[in-house]
Amino acid sequence: MSLNTDPNFFTPGKRYFRAFSPGDDFYEALIDMHRELTDEQSAMVNARLILLLANHIGDIAVLREAMKIAREGA
Amino acid sequence: MLSTYQYPKFEYRRPPELAEGRAASEGRYPVVVVGAGPVGLAAAIDLAIHGVPVVLLDNDDTVSIGSRGVCYAKRALEIMDRLGCAEEMVRKGVSWNVGRTFFREQEVFNFNLCPEPDHHRPGMINLQQYYLEEYLVRRAQSLPNIDLRWKNNVIAVTDHGECVALRVETADGAYSIDTEWLVVADGARSPIRHMMGLDIEGKIFMDRFLIADVVMKADYPTERWFWFDPPFHPNQSVLLHRQADNVWRIDFQLGWNVDPEEEKKPENVIPRIKAMLGDDREFELEWVSVYTFQCRRMHEFRHGRLLFTGDAAHQVSPFGARGANSGIQDTDNLVWKLKLVLDGKAPAALLDTYSEERVAAADENLMNSTRSTDFITPKSATSRTFRNAVLGLAKDYPFARALVNSGRLSVPSFLVESRLNTPDSEVFAGHMVPGAPMDDAPIESAGGEQWLLQVAGNRFQLLYGMPDAGDVDAATATACAELAAGAIPVETLVVAERGQAPAGLRTLVDVKGRIRERYDLKPGTCYLIRPDQHVAARWRSFDLAKLRAALARATCNA
Ligand SMILES: Cc1cc2nc3c(=O)[nH]c(=O)nc-3n(C[C@H](O)[C@H](O)[C@H](O)COP(=O)(O)OP(=O)(O)OC[C@H]3O[C@@H](n4cnc5c(N)ncnc54)[C@H](O)[C@@H]3O)c2cc1C
């Protein structure tokens, strides 16, 4: 498996009629997660989120690829 | 400031209620519409087309002043086709499908609103709102059963249960009228909503936008251009649109802590535009204003005999062009229902489904425009970091492109939760589910080459798929004749590759096979279509009893 960078968001059992909707659902949830947090709290929440997702993905080769791309934008 | 447009002045006439020697009361009108903005005008025209005489009251005597609506979406144009106004709009307006988004200096994303071929109308046209209203007024004036009254200000409304009483003020004094139903289209401030003590809930966005309409000759492509954080307006967003008459709309995000009066002054506006267009570009200011935007809606759109529509019922930020576009869809949904109720063919409960369906649509519009606004104007440092990360990734990675949100432009709602739908009991591919707004397709019929959405609408219809129209059997043809003669008539349209349907049934030749493709139309497939071009029910074979049950359900007669 290599890193998937194509649109990939979905909600199980939910039918979408517009291509932009699943990504927008995700993005709204992401921003909502940070509501009313200080910048420092947000940084901690982001770190926790990355750790949880990284474990879920598991494949370290995929994670390294994502880390490389992420770092290019620093 | 320059003017490319001459505002018409519509003539006030003394209303019949104030004519010499007339009794105080003129009896009861079936429908009065308040507000001759795009939504009230669309409502009045639609009612007149359905044969309902209508009084349309407006407290002004001209069209929309200054910079307001620009973008009218495919669905609004399809409705305007039904109302008889789209041709003029498309001819005068600027059609476009492509939008480009820039982050700092680079293009990061583009979209095409109408990627499929074989649709009559473009994804979007840009047209100043005053032209839209001018065309609607002209159309309304051509219809004998619209009594359009300018400079008639509604000052009091009382719902008496069996009718609504209005008090109306004019230069010749005040008068009272009674109406069975009141369509309220009196705009965002809605005096009638206030008179009735009704709430509208939501939020205001803590941001200000400078809206400049400038006249210039430029050969930029007819596309929507949106910038995040451009060098000429750092840390904010900018939107550019071409309108008719070489007028260009530029929106500059300003942030909250600015003085709107200062920002509006030409000496402050011109440098911003020069920074954007370069010093050499010649332009003139046509109109400049500073706006803040709200996202809010009424809890319900029906209150007894009052039916709230358009901005009076809901308001969105303009980043999806969902204001007038959704208001026009309100009346599209309302008018056929009101007609059935007026004719005694459906219970008043059908009007509750107007509220249910359009509240669901308003929620979708509010959700999408709120999401766009949150992306365009992030509310925290973290939110801004995510936004910029998305924009940074968008150039190279498709998933991030899909997350870029510079406005999700107005598209019609799929009314999938509506109780008027009959749920599917068979399997279909594609998107034309019960509740879906119909997809267009090219056809040939007795009227020559046409479009499906030009023959659909204004009544219930049955799309019946049959490769050779001549193969419709006698029993089905008889059943179709019964449907056509019902209290709520259903017109059959046989969708065929060839042939001629039996006498009394209309044939549509699916010249490019797009109906078959888009509706998954197999031989024998039936679609029951509502007068507002939404799917009510569908089956794989013709069954008169099922059709009647679905018709009853779609009209609250079940
Ligand atoms: C900057 C800007 C950009 C926009 N861009 C877009 C866009 O691109 N696409 C889009 O679809 N929408 C857009 N909109 C929104 C659009 O302008 C509105 O949604 C639309 O005008 C609403 O129409 P309406 O008929 O509901 O109300 P209005 O147009 O406000 O009309 C209400 C009418 O009611 C009359 N009235 C009020 N009170 C009374 C009374 N007591 N008695 C009698 N008459 C009365 C008024 O005179 C007025 O004529 C934009 C708005 C702004 C401000």
Side-chain angles (χ1 to χ4, degrees):
Chain A
M1 262 283 277
S2 62
L3 181 70
N4 181 4
T5 58
D6 286 329
N8 190 36
F9 295 109
F10 62 92
T11 306
K14 177 164 172 184
R15 177 161 192 176
Y16 285 101
F17 293 99
R18 309 287 173 198
F20 56 77
S21 296
D24 286 2
D25 279 357
F26 156 73
Y27 196 81
E28 183 182 77
L30 179 70
I31 301 305
D32 271 353
M33 178 184 74
H34 288 282
R35 192 144 303 202
E36 269 131 46
L37 300 185
T38 63
D39 292 352
E40 205 175 324
Q41 286 171 325
S42 279
M44 177 55 79
V45 167
N46 277 337
R48 289 161 62 97
L49 180 68
I50 291 167
L51 292 170
L52 287 161
L53 296 176
N55 176 65
H56 181 86
I57 292 160
D59 183 336
I60 295 171
V62 170
L63 292 168
R64 281 189 199 283
E65 207 184 329
M67 288 180 205
K68 182 168 163 290
I69 294 172
R71 195 175 159 90
E72 280 164 8
Chain B
M1 280 191 236
L2 197 79
S3 183
T4 58
Y5 184 76
Q6 209 56 52
Y7 289 95
K9 196 169 156 60
F10 303 118
E11 197 192 336
Y12 160 80
R13 285 195 207 90
R14 181 191 273 260
E17 283 77 5
L18 292 171
E20 303 288 331
R22 293 289 279 270
S25 168
E26 282 297 305
R28 189 182 289 180
Y29 292 99
V31 186
V32 170
V33 179
V34 181
V39 178
L41 283 160
I45 293 167
D46 212 349
L47 283 159
I49 287 173
H50 279 85
V52 180
V54 47
V55 177
L56 174 54
L57 305 173
D58 193 274
N59 59 7
D60 201 1
D61 61 357
T62 187
V63 292
S64 169
I65 305 279
S67 310
R68 291 179 78 203
V70 176
C71 303
Y72 301 101
K74 181 168 183 292
R75 181 62 198 149
L77 292 171
E78 289 162 355
I79 296 168
M80 288 298 164
D81 261 322
R82 201 169 57 68
L83 303 186
C85 299
E87 212 46 54
E88 276 178 298
M89 291 175 67
V90 173
R91 212 177 305 130
K92 180 74 188 175
V94 175
S95 296
W96 63 277
N97 284 308
V98 173
R100 295 188 193 281
T101 302
F102 304 87
F103 179 41
R104 298 187 178 135
E105 267 140 70
Q106 273 186 331
E107 179 179 336
V108 290
F109 170 67
N110 63 63
F111 60 82
N112 186 336
L113 290 173
C114 203
E116 278 184 359
D118 297 325
H119 287 260
H120 184 202
R121 294 304 179 191
M124 205 60 93
I125 68 162
N126 289 352
L127 182 70
Q128 294 90 314
Q129 185 162 332
Y130 38 74
Y131 280 118
L132 165 67
E133 293 186 17
E134 188 186 314
Y135 301 155
L136 285 165
V137 169
R138 203 180 300 153
R139 176 77 174 124
Q141 285 169 338
S142 77
L143 294 166
N145 44 0
I146 299 184
D147 176 357
L148 179 39
R149 303 184 185 180
W150 303 105
K151 290 278 182 198
N152 276 242
N153 188 28
V154 176
I155 51 168
V157 173
T158 320
D159 188 346
H160 289 303
E162 83 284 6
C163 75
V164 182
L166 301 183
R167 189 80 187 148
V168 187
E169 208 172 49
T170 72
D172 293 309
Y175 63 94
S176 299
I177 48 175
D178 288 346
T179 180
E180 275 183 61
W181 298 98
L182 184 69
V183 176
V184 183
D186 58 354
R189 292 199 187 88
S190 186
I192 296 180
R193 200 179 61 222
H194 288 289
M195 289 171 208
M196 303 301 291
L198 297 169
D199 285 337
I200 182 161
E201 280 162 40
K203 57 181 173 182
I204 183 166
F205 283 102
M206 304 294 270
D207 214 323
R208 297 183 202 277
F209 292 84
L210 174 70
I211 313 280
D213 282 328
V214 306
V215 188
M216 65 175 174
K217 290 234 155 51
D219 47 12
Y220 305 135
T222 47
E223 298 173 345
R224 173 189 198 259
W225 285 4
F226 191 99
W227 288 264
F228 289 101
D229 192 12
F232 55 84
H233 192 58
N235 295 318
Q236 309 276 26
S237 66
V238 178
L239 175 60
L240 176 72
H241 266 300
R242 180 190 203 134
Q243 308 173 74
D245 304 333
N246 289 319
V247 177
W248 296 72
R249 165 70 55 88
I250 313 176
D251 293 15
F252 292 97
Q253 184 195 349
L254 295 175
W256 184 242
N257 296 315
V258 295
D259 177 350
E261 289 312 312
E262 276 302 305
E263 290 294 340
K264 269 199 288 212
K265 291 183 178 161
E267 64 262 36
N268 294 324
V269 176
I270 288 168
R272 289 196 190 282
I273 298 176
K274 286 201 161 183
M276 176 176 179
L277 302 174
D279 283 332
D280 302 337
R281 174 79 56 193
E282 282 181 37
F283 65 87
E284 300 254 15
L285 294 180
E286 165 124 325
W287 193 273
V288 177
S289 35
V290 174
Y291 282 95
T292 54
F293 295 111
Q294 327 224 38
C295 274
R296 51 183 199 163
R297 72 158 167 88
M298 294 175 74
H299 190 61
E300 278 164 1
F301 298 170
R302 176 184 175 204
H303 287 267
R305 293 186 168 270
L306 275 62
L307 301 151
F308 288 83
T309 61
D311 276 13
H314 47 76
Q315 293 136 45
V316 293
S317 78
F319 290 106
R322 288 167 183 261
N325 279 305
S326 68
I328 290 165
Q329 291 171 58
D330 288 346
T331 65
D332 184 48
N333 187 295
L334 172 63
V335 166
W336 67 269
K337 296 175 179 173
L338 193 48
K339 165 74 177 162
L340 286 176
V341 172
L342 279 164
D343 287 352
K345 293 179 178 175
L350 184 59
L351 297 171
D352 291 331
T353 72
Y354 158 68
S355 182
E356 290 158 17
E357 292 184 341
R358 293 312 298 168
V359 161
D363 281 345
E364 189 177 318
N365 287 319
L366 286 163
M367 179 185 81
N368 280 302
S369 68
T370 302
R371 286 173 171 182
S372 301
T373 310
D374 283 345
F375 193 89
I376 292 164
T377 67
K379 305 294 177 294
S380 69
T382 305
S383 181
R384 177 174 294 271
T385 303
F386 272 116
R387 204 276 307 271
N388 289 348
V390 167
L391 292 170
L393 286 164
K395 192 163 174 303
D396 295 318
Y397 303 101
F399 89 97
R401 247 166 264 162
L403 295 176
V404 174
N405 189 343
S406 66
R408 302 300 190 196
L409 292 158
S410 176
V411 280
S413 294
F414 283 73
L415 306 171
V416 289
E417 302 293 335
S418 173
R419 61 172 149 133
L420 302 184
N421 300 338
T422 298
D424 279 340
S425 53
E426 288 144 309
V427 178
F428 286 82
H431 275 346
M432 290 296 103
V433 300
M438 287 175 78
D439 262 348
D440 204 1
I443 54 156
E444 248 171 53
S445 74
E449 275 182 39
Q450 275 182 303
W451 295 91
L452 178 58
L453 294 187
Q454 289 178 316
V455 298
N458 291 331
R459 62 198 80 98
F460 276 92
Q461 287 164 318
L462 172 69
L463 292 186
Y464 184 38
M466 194 50 61
D468 185 331
D471 287 345
V472 175
D473 62 58
T476 307
T478 308
C480 290
E482 274 179 49
L483 282 173
I488 300 174
V490 179
E491 181 195 26
T492 300
L493 305 169
V494 179
V495 179
E497 288 159 35
R498 58 188 175 277
Q500 190 59 49
L505 304 184
R506 249 167 113 180
T507 308
L508 309 183
V509 179
D510 187 13
V511 275
K512 293 198 170 170
R514 297 293 187 199
I515 305 182
R516 195 177 12 140
E517 177 188 308
R518 291 175 183 161
Y519 290 75
D520 187 17
L521 201 78
K522 301 213 162 73
T525 298
C526 292
Y527 275 78
L528 180 65
I529 302 295
R530 302 180 356 176
D532 59 5
Q533 302 176 332
H534 281 68
V535 175
R538 55 183 182 170
W539 306 269
R540 285 300 184 191
S541 57
F542 185 98
D543 182 324
L544 186 60
K546 284 185 182 166
L547 264 159
R548 285 201 166 125
L551 180 65
R553 186 172 178 136
T555 52
C556 284
N557 281 312

